[in-house]
Amino acid sequence: AQEKLDEAAKHKAVGTAAFKAGKFAAAMSSYSTAAGYVDSEADFGTEDEKAQAGATLVSCCLNEASAALKLGEWNTAQDRCTTVLARDATSVKALFRRGTARMHLSEFAASKADLVAASKLDPKSREARATAPRPPRVPRAALPPRLPAVGT
């Protein structure tokens, strides 16, 4: 089990180096390989190993989704984020990235749901707020006239 965790960590590090170098396809491949080492909890005996494997899987899937977004591979990004959300429904990064992918796939209602959920979970997230749909602004001229205050 420890060997699988070590191999996953090596491939994840290679993916991170590739991502930082702008080699997004290579990064996706490395992250996918790393995730393959830790995607089955049955391979890990102790709770600590299971937790470490789960955290590595989530990280690799989120990183692969980020690389997929950079390459315009919307379906892959959506799938990886859905994998993360199956484990952690409150992952702001997964919701944001899946919402972004769905927006590019013209799945607007699903995209809006993900982006709104992300912005509610992390209201301070500049990215989520900037991408989340907002109600249209109504020009002042279209508003009804103000009524005078009562008692004046």
Side-chain angles (χ1 to χ4, degrees):
Q2 188 59 47
E3 298 83 27
K4 285 191 170 202
L5 290 170
D6 292 343
E7 281 299 311
K10 284 181 198 173
H11 285 283
K12 182 181 172 198
V14 170
T16 301
F19 189 95
K20 287 180 180 178
K23 298 176 181 176
F24 303 118
M28 284 179 62
S29 177
S30 293
Y31 290 135
S32 180
T33 301
Y37 281 103
V38 292
D39 63 352
S40 175
E41 278 192 9
D43 294 341
F44 302 95
T46 68
E47 289 304 311
D48 185 48
E49 287 175 340
K50 287 180 183 180
Q52 194 176 351
T56 301
L57 177 64
V58 165
S59 177
C60 287
C61 286
L62 285 172
N63 292 345
E64 186 179 355
S66 184
L69 289 173
K70 296 274 188 190
L71 293 172
E73 295 187 19
W74 316 124
N75 286 312
T76 300
Q78 177 179 245
D79 293 345
R80 296 308 169 269
C81 291
T82 299
T83 298
V84 171
L85 291 166
R87 294 178 152 273
D88 177 9
T90 62
S91 172
V92 174
K93 284 183 181 181
L95 285 165
F96 175 75
R97 291 176 186 166
R98 187 173 74 174
T100 302
R102 287 177 165 177
M103 184 172 39
H104 288 285
L105 291 167
S106 299
E107 297 175 9
F108 299 117
S111 173
K112 179 180 178 180
D114 284 345
L115 294 170
V116 168
S119 62
K120 283 182 180 176
L121 287 168
D122 187 3
K124 293 182 180 180
S125 169
R126 200 176 297 164
E127 265 186 331
R129 280 182 302 160
T131 310
R134 289 183 213 57
R137 293 179 72 68
V138 178
R140 188 173 292 274
L143 294 173
R146 287 188 158 198
L147 297 174
V150 177
T152 57

